[in-house]
Amino acid sequence: MNKWEENVRKVVPYVPGEQPKDTNVIKLNTNENPYPPAPEVREILDSFDESRMRLYPAPNADVLVDSIAEHYGVDSSQIFVGVGSDDVLSIAFLTLFNSDKPILFPDITYSFYDVWADVYGIPYKTVPLRSDFTINADDYKCENGGVVIANPNAPTGVFADVLVIEDIIRANPDSVVIVDEAYIDFGGETCLPLIDKYENLLVVRTYSKSRSMAGMRIGYAMGSRKLIGYMNDVKFSINSYTMNTVTQLCGAASMKNDSYFRESVNKIIATRERSKKRLAELGFKMTDSMTNFIFASPQKKSAEYVFNELKKRRIFVRYWNKPIICDYLRITVGTDAEMDTLFTALEEILNG
Ligand SMILES: *Cc1c(COP(=O)(O)O)cnc(C)c1O
């Protein structure tokens, strides 16, 4: 190693799911939504005057913040927006986890949490889930510098009752609890109403999955005015203009059409439930996912073998060669037609 490299911050980065260049594939590997965003988003793109690009975007993204506030009936001062919820979570970690005590999160969860902890030098301890992948709230009733829970969890799809989440929040008045609700629109129950009861609760959401806008990069968080204020102070100490003007307008437009949103989410839920039955018939063991993906373990062949065989057939799903979850595949719920193609391929792979 060169001398200068000793002064370099070294990290092991998060590995996102593959985005194949070939568009002629069935992509069920990154939990994207198979349906387009609300038609109001198209209208923004068609009418956008490019001369507006001369100007910096609104630093507070007011139009977007106000539309989210109105949608959920909370005050605009209780909303933080970022470039995807990854950006929101990253700022939340940096701002809210500044203790010498370790932050806590499950051993099986979104694999970005330990990466942010490492890059920001936040001590952390992972807490084992039960063998059925559920959370035991009692495990979080110890000294800590913060708690992060994805609910429903990823990649397991398992939802924890709001009472379990509240139990964890109630036990931790001295640290911040982040609940990452990336998948909450596909089932389960939000703990959003608790933000008025607990000043130290942050609820994080994304446009990437239920709002079909992963490519736009919009995430947001809701919490007490105080918590959001601290996050904005850090954000404005790094980069004031993170979200571009077009994205802000498109995000606000999406919030305006709730019936379109519900319709596309309901289609995905229906396809998910049908897919669970079909996978069970194919001999998969799986959790009762409340998300837009299914966490399923093939019993006849190894998960890794099935993953590779699907890839040969241009069907991308997600596989992790990690303890505990190496027998599982995470399969994003696509359109009915995409899922039918998947089932045909699986029949061939498992029975061939
Ligand atoms: C997808 C996902 C995110 C990140 O979403 P973006 O808004 O696209 O950055 C965060 N948390 C969990 C649990 C996710 O699955």
Side-chain angles (χ1 to χ4, degrees), residues 14 30-31 82-89 109-113 116 150-155 180-183 204-209 213-215 217-220 292-293 330:
Y14 171 78
T30 52
N31 300 342
V83 184
S85 60
D86 286 341
D87 179 39
V88 174
L89 286 160
T109 193
Y110 188 38
S111 48
F112 224 137
Y113 300 152
W116 287 313
N151 197 35
N153 198 7
D180 180 353
E181 292 190 338
Y183 300 101
V204 180
R205 299 281 188 91
T206 178
Y207 273 57
S208 298
K209 282 97 186 202
M213 289 169 74
R217 311 306 301 130
I218 307 176
Y220 54 103
N292 69 336
F293 59 82
R330 193 196 65 189

Side-chain angles (χ1 to χ4, degrees), residues 270-336:
T271 306
R272 177 188 72 204
E273 294 308 310
R274 186 177 77 87
S275 300
K276 282 179 186 171
K277 291 204 187 93
R278 194 73 192 89
L279 287 168
E281 285 164 12
L282 287 163
F284 280 79
K285 204 179 82 184
M286 75 203 88
T287 63
D288 187 20
S289 173
M290 297 288 252
T291 63
N292 69 336
F293 59 82
I294 299 171
F295 194 55
S297 172
Q299 304 294 294
K300 294 184 192 166
K301 300 269 165 69
S302 78
E304 189 168 19
Y305 173 80
V306 175
F307 168 79
N308 285 317
E309 286 298 312
L310 285 173
K311 199 162 171 180
K312 281 186 202 162
R313 292 164 177 80
R314 295 168 177 256
I315 300 174
F316 286 68
V317 299
R318 196 89 195 259
Y319 171 73
W320 288 272
N321 195 356
K322 281 187 188 171
I324 308 177
I325 59 170
C326 61
D327 294 333
Y328 284 83
L329 298 172
R330 193 196 65 189
I331 304 166
T332 304
V333 177
T335 61
D336 280 312

Side-chain angles (χ1 to χ4, degrees), residues 4-257:
W4 62 266
E5 287 179 274
E6 285 168 20
N7 302 327
V8 169
R9 188 185 305 277
K10 293 169 205 76
V11 286
V12 181
Y14 171 78
V15 183
E18 196 176 341
Q19 294 293 103
K21 287 203 184 69
D22 185 352
T23 50
N24 187 22
V25 300
I26 294 186
K27 202 170 169 306
L28 306 174
N29 68 333
T30 52
N31 300 342
E32 288 147 329
N33 194 312
Y35 303 111
E40 283 76 1
V41 174
R42 172 84 260 160
E43 288 166 24
I44 296 289
L45 296 174
D46 285 343
S47 64
F48 188 76
D49 174 5
E50 74 278 7
S51 73
R52 275 186 81 172
M53 286 184 194
R54 294 184 304 103
L55 307 176
Y56 281 106
N60 287 312
D62 315 277
V63 173
L64 176 60
V65 165
D66 293 348
S67 74
I68 297 170
E70 192 186 318
H71 182 80
Y72 292 106
V74 302
D75 196 80
S76 294
S77 64
Q78 292 181 284
I79 297 190
F80 179 91
V81 298
V83 184
S85 60
D86 286 341
D87 179 39
V88 174
L89 286 160
S90 153
I91 295 286
F93 272 54
L94 182 59
T95 309
L96 308 171
F97 296 156
N98 191 23
S99 163
D100 297 331
K101 296 172 200 154
I103 62 166
L104 307 175
F105 48 84
D107 58 344
I108 308 294
T109 193
Y110 188 38
S111 48
F112 224 137
Y113 300 152
D114 55 347
V115 175
W116 287 313
D118 281 333
V119 72
Y120 295 137
I122 301 163
Y124 68 93
K125 215 168 82 187
T126 58
V127 181
L129 292 173
R130 296 194 187 99
S131 60
D132 63 353
F133 300 123
T134 57
I135 289 171
N136 182 356
D138 292 340
D139 295 340
Y140 296 83
K141 296 174 182 174
C142 55
E143 264 210 330
N144 64 67
V147 175
V148 192
I149 304 284
N151 197 35
N153 198 7
T156 64
V158 174
F159 170 72
D161 196 278
V162 172
L163 292 172
V164 175
I165 302 293
E166 184 166 12
D167 195 13
I168 294 173
I169 302 164
R170 203 186 302 110
N172 286 287
D174 299 335
S175 52
V176 169
V177 177
I178 297 179
V179 181
D180 180 353
E181 292 190 338
Y183 300 101
I184 199 70
D185 295 322
F186 300 104
E189 189 193 340
T190 179
C191 68
L192 183 61
L194 299 179
I195 63 171
D196 291 325
K197 198 166 161 190
Y198 302 97
E199 215 176 23
N200 58 326
L201 168 65
L202 188 76
V203 178
V204 180
R205 299 281 188 91
T206 178
Y207 273 57
S208 298
K209 282 97 186 202
S210 57
R211 291 195 176 270
S212 308
M213 289 169 74
M216 270 315 225
R217 311 306 301 130
I218 307 176
Y220 54 103
M222 296 174 277
S224 64
R225 188 195 185 103
K226 214 182 213 174
L227 210 72
I228 298 300
Y230 282 125
M231 284 176 67
N232 272 316
D233 287 347
V234 169
K235 177 229 143 100
F236 283 97
S237 307
I238 297 173
N239 182 354
S240 317
Y241 304 111
T242 46
M243 189 185 287
N244 70 70
T245 306
V246 179
T247 301
Q248 293 181 21
L249 295 172
C250 288
S254 165
M255 277 293 167
K256 294 213 174 82
N257 194 339

